[in-house]
Amino acid sequence: MNTLLERFNIQWFLAVNAPEHANIWLTRWAIVCADFLIYLVPLLLVYLWFWGGERERKSALFAVLVALIALGLAQVLGMLFPHPRPFMVGIGHTLIPHVADSSFPSDHATFFSAIGVSIWFMSQRLWAVLVLMVGLVVVWSRLYLGVHFPMDMMGAFVLSAMTSFVLLPIWNVFESFVYRMIAPLYSSIFALPIRKGWVRP
């Protein structure tokens, strides 16, 4: 079973990975997607907090919690079940430099999945779809550039979804308590922008 799965993993990777003579403009676009699109997610969380209502702020807090725990679990899985990156075993074409560490699961895919799935559970459906769609572009780019296998991405999504699912009932119990602790700090630290009307109170 593992052999069949690994063969499928490699074949899927080779179908997406850049060819030997890759188009330079497509490669440059893939590099931009792989390296910079991830910064849109923190900007979204900032937007939800500073210009959203209580529901949006609680969604942002839950998303951060899920992402931190999922990324921590991803590091543990990488140590317990190390898997080489494509260039470490001479498969495909690698178009960007990357440290030769375990590829499973992908940190990028874990982060996008954790944020997208968690805010979906918090009923921020439009934002969740947008995050997951951008995440798919990043997934494609990192496969195309040769630094991940498809199963690294699938594993990241499953990990993030399970983390969100497990934490959601716990969060529903404590979310009001956590929000009441953080909201006064926000009001104090950002008192001036709030008075100016630049951000929501």
Short mmCIF file of all heavy atoms in Angstrom, two decimals, residues 16-70:
data_model
loop_
_atom_site.label_atom_id
_atom_site.label_comp_id
_atom_site.label_asym_id
_atom_site.label_seq_id
_atom_site.Cartn_x
_atom_site.Cartn_y
_atom_site.Cartn_z
N VAL A 16 2.72 17.88 -12.23
CA VAL A 16 2.58 19.31 -11.90
C VAL A 16 3.92 20.04 -11.95
O VAL A 16 3.97 21.23 -12.29
CB VAL A 16 1.95 19.48 -10.50
CG1 VAL A 16 1.78 20.95 -10.15
CG2 VAL A 16 0.61 18.75 -10.43
N ASN A 17 4.99 19.35 -11.64
CA ASN A 17 6.32 19.95 -11.57
C ASN A 17 6.73 20.58 -12.90
O ASN A 17 6.35 20.12 -13.97
CB ASN A 17 7.32 18.87 -11.16
CG ASN A 17 8.72 19.41 -10.97
OD1 ASN A 17 9.68 18.81 -11.45
ND2 ASN A 17 8.88 20.52 -10.27
N ALA A 18 7.55 21.61 -12.83
CA ALA A 18 8.00 22.33 -14.02
C ALA A 18 8.77 21.40 -14.96
O ALA A 18 9.53 20.55 -14.50
CB ALA A 18 8.89 23.50 -13.61
N PRO A 19 8.60 21.59 -16.27
CA PRO A 19 9.38 20.79 -17.21
C PRO A 19 10.84 21.25 -17.23
O PRO A 19 11.21 22.24 -16.59
CB PRO A 19 8.70 21.07 -18.55
CG PRO A 19 8.08 22.42 -18.38
CD PRO A 19 7.67 22.50 -16.93
N GLU A 20 11.64 20.56 -17.99
CA GLU A 20 13.07 20.87 -18.02
C GLU A 20 13.34 22.29 -18.50
O GLU A 20 14.18 22.99 -17.95
CB GLU A 20 13.79 19.85 -18.92
CG GLU A 20 15.31 20.05 -18.95
CD GLU A 20 16.01 18.98 -19.73
OE1 GLU A 20 15.33 18.05 -20.23
OE2 GLU A 20 17.25 19.04 -19.86
N HIS A 21 12.64 22.70 -19.53
CA HIS A 21 12.80 24.06 -20.05
C HIS A 21 11.53 24.85 -19.72
O HIS A 21 10.69 25.10 -20.60
CB HIS A 21 13.09 24.05 -21.54
CG HIS A 21 14.33 23.26 -21.90
ND1 HIS A 21 15.59 23.70 -21.58
CD2 HIS A 21 14.47 22.06 -22.52
CE1 HIS A 21 16.48 22.80 -22.00
NE2 HIS A 21 15.82 21.80 -22.57
N ALA A 22 11.40 25.22 -18.48
CA ALA A 22 10.19 25.89 -18.01
C ALA A 22 10.08 27.30 -18.55
O ALA A 22 11.08 28.00 -18.75
CB ALA A 22 10.17 25.92 -16.48
N ASN A 23 8.84 27.73 -18.78
CA ASN A 23 8.58 29.10 -19.22
C ASN A 23 9.03 30.07 -18.14
O ASN A 23 8.64 29.94 -16.97
CB ASN A 23 7.08 29.27 -19.49
CG ASN A 23 6.74 30.67 -19.95
OD1 ASN A 23 6.65 31.59 -19.15
ND2 ASN A 23 6.54 30.82 -21.24
N ILE A 24 9.83 31.05 -18.51
CA ILE A 24 10.44 31.94 -17.51
C ILE A 24 9.38 32.77 -16.79
O ILE A 24 9.48 33.02 -15.59
CB ILE A 24 11.51 32.83 -18.17
CG1 ILE A 24 12.25 33.63 -17.07
CG2 ILE A 24 10.91 33.75 -19.22
CD1 ILE A 24 13.46 34.38 -17.58
N TRP A 25 8.35 33.20 -17.52
CA TRP A 25 7.32 34.04 -16.90
C TRP A 25 6.44 33.23 -15.96
O TRP A 25 6.06 33.71 -14.88
CB TRP A 25 6.48 34.73 -17.97
CG TRP A 25 7.28 35.69 -18.78
CD1 TRP A 25 7.68 35.55 -20.08
CD2 TRP A 25 7.82 36.94 -18.32
NE1 TRP A 25 8.42 36.64 -20.47
CE2 TRP A 25 8.53 37.50 -19.41
CE3 TRP A 25 7.78 37.63 -17.12
CZ2 TRP A 25 9.19 38.73 -19.31
CZ3 TRP A 25 8.43 38.86 -17.01
CH2 TRP A 25 9.12 39.39 -18.10
N LEU A 26 6.14 32.01 -16.33
CA LEU A 26 5.37 31.14 -15.45
C LEU A 26 6.18 30.82 -14.20
O LEU A 26 5.64 30.79 -13.08
CB LEU A 26 4.98 29.86 -16.17
CG LEU A 26 4.08 28.88 -15.40
CD1 LEU A 26 2.77 29.56 -15.00
CD2 LEU A 26 3.81 27.63 -16.23
N THR A 27 7.48 30.62 -14.38
CA THR A 27 8.34 30.34 -13.24
C THR A 27 8.40 31.53 -12.29
O THR A 27 8.33 31.38 -11.07
CB THR A 27 9.76 29.99 -13.72
OG1 THR A 27 9.70 28.81 -14.54
CG2 THR A 27 10.68 29.73 -12.53
N ARG A 28 8.53 32.73 -12.86
CA ARG A 28 8.57 33.93 -12.01
C ARG A 28 7.26 34.11 -11.26
O ARG A 28 7.26 34.49 -10.08
CB ARG A 28 8.87 35.16 -12.86
CG ARG A 28 10.31 35.21 -13.36
CD ARG A 28 10.53 36.39 -14.28
NE ARG A 28 11.94 36.47 -14.70
CZ ARG A 28 12.40 37.35 -15.58
NH1 ARG A 28 11.57 38.22 -16.15
NH2 ARG A 28 13.68 37.35 -15.90
N TRP A 29 6.14 33.85 -11.92
CA TRP A 29 4.84 33.94 -11.27
C TRP A 29 4.74 32.92 -10.15
O TRP A 29 4.24 33.21 -9.06
CB TRP A 29 3.74 33.74 -12.28
CG TRP A 29 2.37 33.54 -11.69
CD1 TRP A 29 1.59 32.43 -11.77
CD2 TRP A 29 1.63 34.48 -10.89
NE1 TRP A 29 0.42 32.61 -11.09
CE2 TRP A 29 0.41 33.85 -10.54
CE3 TRP A 29 1.88 35.77 -10.44
CZ2 TRP A 29 -0.55 34.48 -9.76
CZ3 TRP A 29 0.91 36.39 -9.66
CH2 TRP A 29 -0.28 35.76 -9.32
N ALA A 30 5.21 31.70 -10.39
CA ALA A 30 5.18 30.65 -9.37
C ALA A 30 6.02 31.04 -8.16
O ALA A 30 5.62 30.79 -7.01
CB ALA A 30 5.67 29.33 -9.96
N ILE A 31 7.17 31.68 -8.40
CA ILE A 31 8.03 32.11 -7.29
C ILE A 31 7.33 33.18 -6.45
O ILE A 31 7.37 33.15 -5.21
CB ILE A 31 9.37 32.62 -7.82
CG1 ILE A 31 10.18 31.45 -8.41
CG2 ILE A 31 10.18 33.32 -6.72
CD1 ILE A 31 11.44 31.87 -9.12
N VAL A 32 6.67 34.12 -7.12
CA VAL A 32 5.91 35.15 -6.40
C VAL A 32 4.83 34.50 -5.55
O VAL A 32 4.65 34.83 -4.36
CB VAL A 32 5.30 36.16 -7.39
CG1 VAL A 32 4.29 37.07 -6.68
CG2 VAL A 32 6.39 37.00 -8.04
N CYS A 33 4.10 33.55 -6.13
CA CYS A 33 3.03 32.87 -5.39
C CYS A 33 3.59 32.09 -4.21
O CYS A 33 3.03 32.12 -3.10
CB CYS A 33 2.28 31.93 -6.33
SG CYS A 33 1.36 32.76 -7.64
N ALA A 34 4.69 31.38 -4.45
CA ALA A 34 5.26 30.53 -3.40
C ALA A 34 5.81 31.32 -2.23
O ALA A 34 5.74 30.87 -1.08
CB ALA A 34 6.36 29.65 -4.01
N ASP A 35 6.37 32.49 -2.52
CA ASP A 35 7.09 33.24 -1.48
C ASP A 35 6.28 34.36 -0.84
O ASP A 35 6.54 34.72 0.31
CB ASP A 35 8.38 33.84 -2.06
CG ASP A 35 9.41 32.77 -2.37
OD1 ASP A 35 9.29 31.66 -1.83
OD2 ASP A 35 10.33 33.05 -3.17
N PHE A 36 5.29 34.93 -1.56
CA PHE A 36 4.69 36.17 -1.08
C PHE A 36 3.19 36.12 -0.81
O PHE A 36 2.68 36.93 -0.03
CB PHE A 36 4.98 37.30 -2.07
CG PHE A 36 6.44 37.59 -2.23
CD1 PHE A 36 7.11 37.21 -3.38
CD2 PHE A 36 7.17 38.20 -1.22
CE1 PHE A 36 8.48 37.45 -3.53
CE2 PHE A 36 8.53 38.45 -1.35
CZ PHE A 36 9.18 38.06 -2.51
N LEU A 37 2.45 35.19 -1.44
CA LEU A 37 1.00 35.18 -1.22
C LEU A 37 0.64 34.86 0.23
O LEU A 37 -0.43 35.24 0.70
CB LEU A 37 0.33 34.17 -2.15
CG LEU A 37 0.24 34.56 -3.63
CD1 LEU A 37 -0.59 33.54 -4.39
CD2 LEU A 37 -0.35 35.95 -3.81
N ILE A 38 1.53 34.18 0.93
CA ILE A 38 1.24 33.82 2.32
C ILE A 38 1.04 35.05 3.20
O ILE A 38 0.32 35.00 4.21
CB ILE A 38 2.36 32.92 2.88
CG1 ILE A 38 1.90 32.24 4.17
CG2 ILE A 38 3.66 33.70 3.08
CD1 ILE A 38 2.82 31.13 4.64
N TYR A 39 1.63 36.19 2.82
CA TYR A 39 1.50 37.40 3.63
C TYR A 39 0.10 38.00 3.55
O TYR A 39 -0.25 38.87 4.35
CB TYR A 39 2.55 38.43 3.20
CG TYR A 39 3.96 37.95 3.44
CD1 TYR A 39 4.80 37.63 2.37
CD2 TYR A 39 4.45 37.76 4.73
CE1 TYR A 39 6.10 37.17 2.59
CE2 TYR A 39 5.74 37.30 4.96
CZ TYR A 39 6.55 37.01 3.89
OH TYR A 39 7.83 36.54 4.11
N LEU A 40 -0.71 37.56 2.59
CA LEU A 40 -2.08 38.05 2.53
C LEU A 40 -2.91 37.55 3.70
O LEU A 40 -3.87 38.21 4.11
CB LEU A 40 -2.73 37.59 1.21
CG LEU A 40 -2.15 38.16 -0.08
CD1 LEU A 40 -2.86 37.54 -1.28
CD2 LEU A 40 -2.28 39.68 -0.11
N VAL A 41 -2.55 36.40 4.24
CA VAL A 41 -3.34 35.83 5.34
C VAL A 41 -3.23 36.65 6.62
O VAL A 41 -4.26 36.98 7.23
CB VAL A 41 -2.95 34.36 5.58
CG1 VAL A 41 -3.75 33.78 6.75
CG2 VAL A 41 -3.19 33.54 4.33
N PRO A 42 -2.02 37.02 7.07
CA PRO A 42 -1.96 37.91 8.23
C PRO A 42 -2.69 39.24 8.00
O PRO A 42 -3.29 39.79 8.93
CB PRO A 42 -0.45 38.13 8.44
CG PRO A 42 0.19 36.93 7.84
CD PRO A 42 -0.68 36.57 6.67
N LEU A 43 -2.62 39.75 6.77
CA LEU A 43 -3.34 40.99 6.47
C LEU A 43 -4.85 40.80 6.64
O LEU A 43 -5.54 41.70 7.14
CB LEU A 43 -3.03 41.46 5.05
CG LEU A 43 -1.62 41.97 4.80
CD1 LEU A 43 -1.44 42.33 3.33
CD2 LEU A 43 -1.32 43.19 5.68
N LEU A 44 -5.36 39.64 6.25
CA LEU A 44 -6.78 39.36 6.45
C LEU A 44 -7.13 39.31 7.93
O LEU A 44 -8.14 39.87 8.36
CB LEU A 44 -7.15 38.02 5.79
CG LEU A 44 -8.56 37.49 6.12
CD1 LEU A 44 -9.62 38.47 5.65
CD2 LEU A 44 -8.76 36.11 5.52
N LEU A 45 -6.28 38.66 8.73
CA LEU A 45 -6.54 38.58 10.16
C LEU A 45 -6.52 39.95 10.81
O LEU A 45 -7.34 40.25 11.69
CB LEU A 45 -5.51 37.66 10.82
CG LEU A 45 -5.52 36.19 10.36
CD1 LEU A 45 -4.39 35.41 11.01
CD2 LEU A 45 -6.88 35.54 10.66
N VAL A 46 -5.60 40.78 10.37
CA VAL A 46 -5.54 42.16 10.86
C VAL A 46 -6.83 42.89 10.49
O VAL A 46 -7.42 43.61 11.31
CB VAL A 46 -4.31 42.89 10.29
CG1 VAL A 46 -4.41 44.40 10.55
CG2 VAL A 46 -3.04 42.34 10.91
N TYR A 47 -7.28 42.72 9.26
CA TYR A 47 -8.53 43.36 8.81
C TYR A 47 -9.71 42.89 9.66
O TYR A 47 -10.54 43.72 10.10
CB TYR A 47 -8.77 43.05 7.34
CG TYR A 47 -10.13 43.51 6.86
CD1 TYR A 47 -10.36 44.85 6.54
CD2 TYR A 47 -11.19 42.60 6.76
CE1 TYR A 47 -11.61 45.27 6.12
CE2 TYR A 47 -12.44 43.02 6.34
CZ TYR A 47 -12.65 44.36 6.02
OH TYR A 47 -13.89 44.78 5.61
N LEU A 48 -9.82 41.59 9.88
CA LEU A 48 -10.94 41.06 10.67
C LEU A 48 -10.93 41.63 12.08
O LEU A 48 -12.00 41.88 12.65
CB LEU A 48 -10.87 39.53 10.72
CG LEU A 48 -11.15 38.78 9.42
CD1 LEU A 48 -10.93 37.28 9.61
CD2 LEU A 48 -12.56 39.05 8.93
N TRP A 49 -9.74 41.83 12.65
CA TRP A 49 -9.69 42.35 14.00
C TRP A 49 -9.95 43.85 14.06
O TRP A 49 -10.79 44.32 14.84
CB TRP A 49 -8.34 42.04 14.66
CG TRP A 49 -8.32 42.53 16.08
CD1 TRP A 49 -7.90 43.75 16.53
CD2 TRP A 49 -8.81 41.83 17.22
NE1 TRP A 49 -8.09 43.84 17.88
CE2 TRP A 49 -8.65 42.69 18.34
CE3 TRP A 49 -9.36 40.56 17.41
CZ2 TRP A 49 -9.02 42.30 19.62
CZ3 TRP A 49 -9.73 40.18 18.70
CH2 TRP A 49 -9.56 41.05 19.77
N PHE A 50 -9.26 44.63 13.25
CA PHE A 50 -9.33 46.08 13.36
C PHE A 50 -10.61 46.67 12.77
O PHE A 50 -11.05 47.74 13.20
CB PHE A 50 -8.11 46.73 12.70
CG PHE A 50 -6.87 46.63 13.53
CD1 PHE A 50 -5.95 45.62 13.32
CD2 PHE A 50 -6.61 47.56 14.53
CE1 PHE A 50 -4.80 45.52 14.10
CE2 PHE A 50 -5.47 47.48 15.31
CZ PHE A 50 -4.57 46.45 15.10
N TRP A 51 -11.19 46.01 11.79
CA TRP A 51 -12.37 46.58 11.14
C TRP A 51 -13.57 45.66 11.18
O TRP A 51 -14.59 45.96 10.58
CB TRP A 51 -12.03 46.96 9.70
CG TRP A 51 -11.07 48.11 9.65
CD1 TRP A 51 -11.36 49.44 9.80
CD2 TRP A 51 -9.65 48.03 9.47
NE1 TRP A 51 -10.22 50.18 9.73
CE2 TRP A 51 -9.14 49.36 9.52
CE3 TRP A 51 -8.75 46.98 9.28
CZ2 TRP A 51 -7.80 49.64 9.39
CZ3 TRP A 51 -7.41 47.27 9.14
CH2 TRP A 51 -6.94 48.58 9.19
N GLY A 52 -13.48 44.57 11.91
CA GLY A 52 -14.61 43.67 12.04
C GLY A 52 -15.33 43.86 13.37
O GLY A 52 -14.88 44.61 14.24
N GLY A 53 -16.45 43.17 13.51
CA GLY A 53 -17.18 43.18 14.76
C GLY A 53 -16.68 42.08 15.69
O GLY A 53 -15.65 41.43 15.42
N GLU A 54 -17.42 41.84 16.75
CA GLU A 54 -17.00 40.83 17.72
C GLU A 54 -16.89 39.44 17.10
O GLU A 54 -15.96 38.69 17.39
CB GLU A 54 -17.99 40.80 18.89
CG GLU A 54 -17.60 39.80 19.98
CD GLU A 54 -18.52 39.86 21.19
OE1 GLU A 54 -19.13 40.93 21.42
OE2 GLU A 54 -18.64 38.84 21.90
N ARG A 55 -17.84 39.10 16.21
CA ARG A 55 -17.81 37.78 15.58
C ARG A 55 -16.56 37.60 14.74
O ARG A 55 -15.91 36.55 14.77
CB ARG A 55 -19.05 37.62 14.71
CG ARG A 55 -19.22 36.26 14.08
CD ARG A 55 -19.61 35.23 15.10
NE ARG A 55 -18.49 34.45 15.59
CZ ARG A 55 -18.50 33.66 16.63
NH1 ARG A 55 -19.59 33.54 17.36
NH2 ARG A 55 -17.44 32.98 17.00
N GLU A 56 -16.20 38.64 13.98
CA GLU A 56 -15.01 38.57 13.14
C GLU A 56 -13.74 38.50 13.99
O GLU A 56 -12.79 37.77 13.65
CB GLU A 56 -14.93 39.78 12.21
CG GLU A 56 -15.92 39.79 11.07
CD GLU A 56 -17.34 40.11 11.51
OE1 GLU A 56 -17.51 40.74 12.59
OE2 GLU A 56 -18.29 39.73 10.81
N ARG A 57 -13.72 39.21 15.08
CA ARG A 57 -12.54 39.18 15.96
C ARG A 57 -12.36 37.82 16.63
O ARG A 57 -11.24 37.32 16.74
CB ARG A 57 -12.65 40.30 17.00
CG ARG A 57 -12.49 41.68 16.38
CD ARG A 57 -12.72 42.78 17.38
NE ARG A 57 -12.49 44.08 16.76
CZ ARG A 57 -12.71 45.24 17.36
NH1 ARG A 57 -13.15 45.27 18.60
NH2 ARG A 57 -12.47 46.37 16.72
N LYS A 58 -13.46 37.24 17.07
CA LYS A 58 -13.36 35.90 17.64
C LYS A 58 -12.92 34.90 16.57
O LYS A 58 -12.17 33.96 16.87
CB LYS A 58 -14.70 35.49 18.23
CG LYS A 58 -15.05 36.23 19.52
CD LYS A 58 -16.39 35.79 20.07
CE LYS A 58 -16.72 36.50 21.39
NZ LYS A 58 -18.05 36.09 21.92
N SER A 59 -13.35 35.10 15.35
CA SER A 59 -12.91 34.22 14.25
C SER A 59 -11.41 34.33 14.04
O SER A 59 -10.72 33.32 13.84
CB SER A 59 -13.65 34.59 12.96
OG SER A 59 -15.03 34.42 13.09
N ALA A 60 -10.90 35.56 14.09
CA ALA A 60 -9.46 35.78 13.91
C ALA A 60 -8.67 35.13 15.04
O ALA A 60 -7.63 34.51 14.81
CB ALA A 60 -9.16 37.27 13.84
N LEU A 61 -9.16 35.25 16.27
CA LEU A 61 -8.47 34.63 17.41
C LEU A 61 -8.46 33.11 17.28
O LEU A 61 -7.44 32.46 17.52
CB LEU A 61 -9.17 35.04 18.71
CG LEU A 61 -9.00 36.49 19.16
CD1 LEU A 61 -9.87 36.77 20.38
CD2 LEU A 61 -7.54 36.80 19.47
N PHE A 62 -9.60 32.54 16.90
CA PHE A 62 -9.66 31.09 16.73
C PHE A 62 -8.73 30.63 15.62
O PHE A 62 -8.04 29.61 15.74
CB PHE A 62 -11.10 30.67 16.43
CG PHE A 62 -11.27 29.19 16.25
CD1 PHE A 62 -10.92 28.30 17.25
CD2 PHE A 62 -11.80 28.68 15.06
CE1 PHE A 62 -11.08 26.93 17.08
CE2 PHE A 62 -11.97 27.32 14.89
CZ PHE A 62 -11.61 26.44 15.91
N ALA A 63 -8.68 31.39 14.53
CA ALA A 63 -7.81 31.05 13.40
C ALA A 63 -6.35 31.04 13.82
O ALA A 63 -5.58 30.15 13.45
CB ALA A 63 -8.04 32.02 12.25
N VAL A 64 -5.95 32.04 14.60
CA VAL A 64 -4.56 32.10 15.06
C VAL A 64 -4.25 30.91 15.96
O VAL A 64 -3.19 30.28 15.85
CB VAL A 64 -4.30 33.44 15.80
CG1 VAL A 64 -2.94 33.41 16.50
CG2 VAL A 64 -4.36 34.60 14.81
N LEU A 65 -5.18 30.58 16.86
CA LEU A 65 -4.98 29.44 17.76
C LEU A 65 -4.82 28.15 16.97
O LEU A 65 -3.88 27.36 17.22
CB LEU A 65 -6.18 29.33 18.71
CG LEU A 65 -6.19 28.10 19.63
CD1 LEU A 65 -5.02 28.13 20.61
CD2 LEU A 65 -7.53 28.00 20.37
N VAL A 66 -5.71 27.92 16.02
CA VAL A 66 -5.64 26.70 15.21
C VAL A 66 -4.35 26.65 14.41
O VAL A 66 -3.69 25.60 14.34
CB VAL A 66 -6.86 26.61 14.26
CG1 VAL A 66 -6.69 25.45 13.27
CG2 VAL A 66 -8.14 26.43 15.06
N ALA A 67 -3.97 27.76 13.81
CA ALA A 67 -2.75 27.80 13.00
C ALA A 67 -1.51 27.49 13.83
O ALA A 67 -0.64 26.72 13.41
CB ALA A 67 -2.61 29.16 12.32
N LEU A 68 -1.43 28.07 15.03
CA LEU A 68 -0.26 27.83 15.88
C LEU A 68 -0.17 26.36 16.29
O LEU A 68 0.92 25.76 16.25
CB LEU A 68 -0.33 28.73 17.12
CG LEU A 68 -0.10 30.22 16.89
CD1 LEU A 68 -0.33 31.00 18.18
CD2 LEU A 68 1.29 30.48 16.35
N ILE A 69 -1.29 25.79 16.69
CA ILE A 69 -1.27 24.39 17.11
C ILE A 69 -1.02 23.46 15.93
O ILE A 69 -0.23 22.50 16.02
CB ILE A 69 -2.59 24.03 17.81
CG1 ILE A 69 -2.68 24.79 19.14
CG2 ILE A 69 -2.69 22.52 18.05
CD1 ILE A 69 -3.96 24.57 19.91
N ALA A 70 -1.65 23.73 14.79
CA ALA A 70 -1.45 22.90 13.60
C ALA A 70 0.00 22.95 13.13
O ALA A 70 0.59 21.92 12.77
CB ALA A 70 -2.39 23.33 12.48
#
